[in-house]
Amino acid sequence: MIPENERQIFKENFDNQNLAPKPFLQTHELSMSYRAKKAFHNISMPIHFGKITAIVGPSGCGKSSFLMCLNRLAEMIPDTQISGHIELDQNNLMKNGACTVALRKKIGMIFQKPSPFPFSIRKNIILPLMEHGQKNRRILNEKLEFVLKKVGLWDEVKSRLETSALQLSGGQQQRLCIARALALEPEILLMDEPCSALDPLSSAVVEDLMKDLSKDYTVVVVTHNLAQAKRIADYVAFFWVQEGAGSLIEFGPTKEIFENPKNPLTLSYISGFRG
Amino acid sequence: MIKSAQSKVEYLVTYIVWGLSILLLLSMIFLIYKMVGPGFSTIRWDYFLSEPLNSGRSGGISSILISTLLIVGVCLFVAIPIGLGTAIWLTEFTTSQSFLGQNIRRSLDILAGVPSIVFGLFGNALFCRYLGLGFSIISGGLTLACMVLPILIRSIEVGIRSIPSEHRFSASALGLSTFSQLYHLILPLAVPGIVVGLVLGIGRAVAETAALVFTSGYVDRMPSSISDSGRSLSVHIYDLSMNVPGGESNAYKSVFVILILLFFLNTLTMFLADRLLARKVMNE
């Protein structure tokens, strides 16, 4: 956990762009391979505190795999090898003894396909909280209401909290999943194309929500949608397949990537010539 | 209306499918009628409550019913925890490619096809002689457990594997421990597989004859404990129809009872699985 005063300093640093921001999460030469195939290779990139970082690039360039490494979820996939390390608050996350349960409480994740559990709406949010030791019914109910309000779902579902979450529409399910992740009070939210399985209207709602969330959370979002990245992101990382493995081609503030890219590949991708 | 060649074929296929289904249904009805009919018309309540007399030609089947329930009970008491545990281990703690997992799965598939007489001889050698349990209900129950386990494990495994991987990923991403994933999510969602495994397993256990002749014996008196010998219903039916002249009418009654018993046990299984596990999830 970062102390509140330091968090304030971080924010101020970003607000007056003069000081070089210190990355909150940093990967160092992170590589992942699945059986013999490399997913991505030697990726070193910073994730800045309180900002939205968008990862863009064509399909199969290791964006989602990279995201799943950040909360060590990629280890669940059989036959994967991961090397390099990830630093969060100067702690190496890849250390063998590091507690994944605590880590995943700190780093929430939203998947491409909305995946609420086949429980009631209430249980979807309360079960992870109870798992992490919260037993007080009053606090649980308060948190339930708080996070559902935060994702703008409260008015839509408050009268049917006991019905199955699977009855909700796709967009509502995705917002429920976001609420479920927020209930654990994470510091970082990883979002793997959270809008791509939704209809345009729901997609717009979720996108606004992401923008809103960046006030309180550090967000890393993988997206296919360049326009979306341009609209919401503070930083953009551009991935491309090089020598059979996903590589980080360019990283920088959104404005710079879109208006003045340094790498010719980035230029041709953002202007639609390639990818 | 113009009928194309394609729609003619479709009509034909529809008729064939319907015809085959009706044929199957009729043969089932005929079979059940032939089996149940003679027993149903002559059975009385005291048949369930009195002990067999004169090698089963007269009297009831109370001792045999008790032995059967005890044997099946011992079998399930041993097979359910081991079966669930193994299925969970195979799905959650080994990958489908691992050497150990693959070989255990292959062995189970082979064991599922081994004739029951072989299991009977194995049970006789291991439980009755080597472990000194003798001809007893517990030997019979343990032998049946060995027979039922392959089917049970493989059905539960298929049930667990059919659960979409998104659930596991999102549960892990929320920091849920393996135990609570299993308890809240995986096992409740695997109920259909668990029920299939149990129904097939119970069916095999109740129907088993050959393996029990070698392990739990065939005395027809009331067992005094599970270390006593006892005769199961299927052994009773076999004995009455093959070795006891004049036993057919009581054999038919026992056939009727065994069908009722199977129906009852299967219903109970579904009810309990629903009560204990499936209630934890809401599909719609």
Side-chain angles (χ1 to χ4, degrees):
Chain A
M1 273 306 260
I2 300 178
E4 197 52 44
N5 55 348
E6 251 179 74
R7 198 184 281 251
Q8 201 51 45
I9 295 168
F10 269 132
K11 287 226 151 163
E12 280 165 14
N13 283 356
F14 283 110
D15 292 342
N16 65 47
Q17 295 285 330
N18 298 323
L19 292 156
K22 188 169 152 282
F24 181 46
L25 186 80
Q26 170 83 45
T27 67
H28 295 280
E29 289 175 7
L30 196 66
S31 305
M32 175 175 139
S33 53
Y34 174 72
R35 293 196 193 150
K37 199 193 170 307
K38 275 190 174 166
F40 58 82
H41 185 61
N42 270 349
I43 292 187
S44 303
M45 86 175 231
I47 308 288
H48 292 296
F49 184 81
K51 299 285 168 187
I52 301 186
T53 306
I55 302 176
V56 299
S59 299
C61 66
K63 305 185 299 277
S64 297
S65 306
F66 176 76
L67 202 67
M68 283 176 86
C69 279
L70 297 182
N71 64 350
R72 295 187 54 181
L73 210 58
E75 291 163 26
M76 276 178 66
I77 306 165
D79 305 312
T80 41
Q81 271 104 41
I82 301 164
S83 63
H85 68 275
I86 306 168
E87 215 177 275
L88 172 71
D89 272 351
Q90 281 138 23
N91 292 317
N92 182 7
L93 295 186
M94 301 294 285
K95 249 192 326 216
N96 268 337
C99 171
T100 51
V101 169
L103 170 70
R104 286 167 188 165
K105 187 171 180 291
K106 207 166 182 170
I107 306 183
M109 185 158 191
I110 317 296
F111 297 87
Q112 178 173 4
K113 199 175 149 207
S115 53
F117 297 132
F119 303 151
S120 68
I121 295 170
R122 177 197 296 278
K123 193 175 172 190
N124 257 285
I125 287 173
I126 279 181
L127 180 69
L129 281 169
M130 288 171 69
E131 172 80 9
H132 290 283
Q134 183 57 263
K135 299 274 188 273
N136 185 320
R137 192 153 284 280
R138 191 179 54 83
I139 297 180
L140 287 173
N141 283 332
E142 275 172 16
K143 283 207 171 181
L144 173 76
E145 186 173 341
F146 175 77
V147 293
L148 285 176
K149 276 184 174 156
K150 186 109 186 156
V151 299
L153 208 55
W154 178 251
D155 289 328
E156 294 164 50
V157 302
K158 66 182 172 194
S159 59
R160 49 177 177 140
L161 291 172
E162 306 303 334
T163 57
S164 170
L166 302 183
Q167 284 180 350
L168 299 173
S169 73
Q172 287 173 324
Q173 288 188 6
Q174 191 63 303
R175 281 186 284 153
L176 179 67
C177 291
I178 297 175
R180 189 172 66 181
L182 294 182
L184 297 178
E185 297 173 6
E187 296 180 6
I188 303 175
L189 277 179
L190 308 176
M191 300 180 139
D192 188 0
E193 304 193 30
C195 299
S196 67
L198 305 180
D199 62 275
L201 281 177
S202 310
S203 170
V205 174
V206 172
E207 192 182 307
D208 289 342
L209 182 59
M210 282 155 72
K211 192 103 191 126
D212 193 44
L213 289 175
S214 71
K215 289 175 200 147
D216 302 303
Y217 306 91
T218 303
V219 178
V220 186
V221 56
V222 164
T223 177
H224 259 110
N225 185 338
L226 277 177
Q228 186 182 56
K230 201 171 179 176
R231 280 195 300 269
I232 62 170
D234 300 297
Y235 290 91
V236 172
F238 171 57
F239 280 38
W240 188 265
V241 181
Q242 275 190 333
E243 293 159 25
S247 308
L248 176 65
I249 303 296
E250 196 166 347
F251 176 86
T254 307
K255 208 168 144 76
E256 222 163 276
I257 294 277
F258 279 97
E259 287 170 14
N260 190 18
K262 293 184 181 63
N263 194 302
L265 260 175
T266 318
L267 180 64
S268 56
Y269 183 71
I270 57 164
S271 46
F273 295 135
R274 298 187 68 171
Chain B
M1 200 172 90
I2 306 160
K3 276 189 191 168
S4 66
Q6 197 186 353
S7 77
K8 268 185 198 158
V9 170
E10 272 184 33
Y11 270 104
L12 192 65
V13 170
T14 313
Y15 284 129
I16 291 174
V17 170
W18 271 96
L20 288 175
S21 317
I22 290 167
L23 194 69
L24 182 76
L25 195 67
L26 285 178
S27 54
M28 297 284 278
I29 291 170
F30 178 71
L31 199 67
I32 290 176
Y33 173 74
K34 279 305 250 186
M35 284 196 306
V36 172
F40 181 71
S41 51
T42 51
I43 202 161
R44 298 288 172 269
W45 278 112
D46 61 344
Y47 187 69
F48 294 93
L49 301 174
S50 53
E51 291 202 26
L53 296 167
N54 193 10
S55 302
R57 285 186 191 89
S58 55
I61 51 161
S62 63
S63 57
I64 285 151
L65 211 52
I66 297 291
S67 300
T68 309
L69 287 174
L70 284 174
I71 292 169
V72 174
V74 168
C75 160
L76 294 179
F77 182 77
V78 174
I80 290 176
I82 298 180
L84 264 180
T86 312
I88 289 170
W89 181 79
L90 280 173
T91 51
E92 306 295 308
F93 299 98
T94 58
T95 60
S96 51
Q97 270 79 35
S98 80
F99 177 79
L100 199 57
Q102 251 181 346
N103 282 296
I104 287 179
R105 241 169 252 129
R106 195 167 299 146
S107 323
L108 288 174
D109 288 344
I110 294 169
L111 281 178
V114 167
S116 56
I117 186 94
V118 177
F119 274 103
L121 291 170
F122 164 78
N124 183 275
L126 179 68
F127 301 119
C128 302
R129 288 162 198 259
Y130 186 73
L131 294 178
L133 296 170
F135 280 88
S136 62
I137 286 172
I138 191 161
S139 299
L142 290 173
T143 309
L144 284 189
C146 296
M147 284 182 63
V148 164
L149 269 172
I151 311 170
L152 192 61
I153 294 171
R154 291 295 265 148
S155 317
I156 299 176
E157 195 200 342
V158 169
I160 294 181
R161 281 205 193 280
S162 68
I163 297 167
S165 57
E166 292 111 60
H167 284 320
R168 289 164 207 272
F169 279 117
S170 32
S172 297
L174 290 163
L176 264 60
S177 65
T178 310
F179 171 77
S180 68
Q181 290 187 29
L182 280 170
Y183 178 71
H184 290 290
L185 204 59
I186 308 291
L187 289 182
L189 286 173
V191 158
I194 296 174
V195 168
V196 166
L198 283 175
V199 166
L200 289 175
I202 290 171
R204 196 166 184 195
V206 171
E208 189 43 50
T209 314
L212 289 178
V213 170
F214 289 99
T215 51
S216 64
Y218 38 85
V219 289
D220 58 9
R221 63 161 192 274
M222 184 65 86
S224 56
S225 74
I226 55 168
S227 54
D228 199 0
S229 177
R231 181 193 279 197
S232 84
L233 257 172
S234 51
V235 174
H236 190 55
I237 295 167
Y238 166 76
D239 200 49
L240 283 182
S241 48
M242 303 302 283
N243 301 335
V244 180
E248 287 91 26
S249 116
N250 268 358
Y252 270 120
K253 286 185 205 164
S254 298
V255 168
F256 175 68
V257 175
I258 211 169
L259 283 176
I260 298 286
L261 185 70
L262 268 178
F263 179 77
F264 169 74
L265 286 177
N266 288 350
T267 313
L268 187 71
T269 307
M270 284 180 226
F271 175 77
L272 285 179
D274 184 61
R275 260 298 156 90
L276 296 177
L277 289 171
R279 286 282 169 85
K280 299 176 82 64
V281 295
M282 307 168 90
N283 281 315
E284 271 310 319

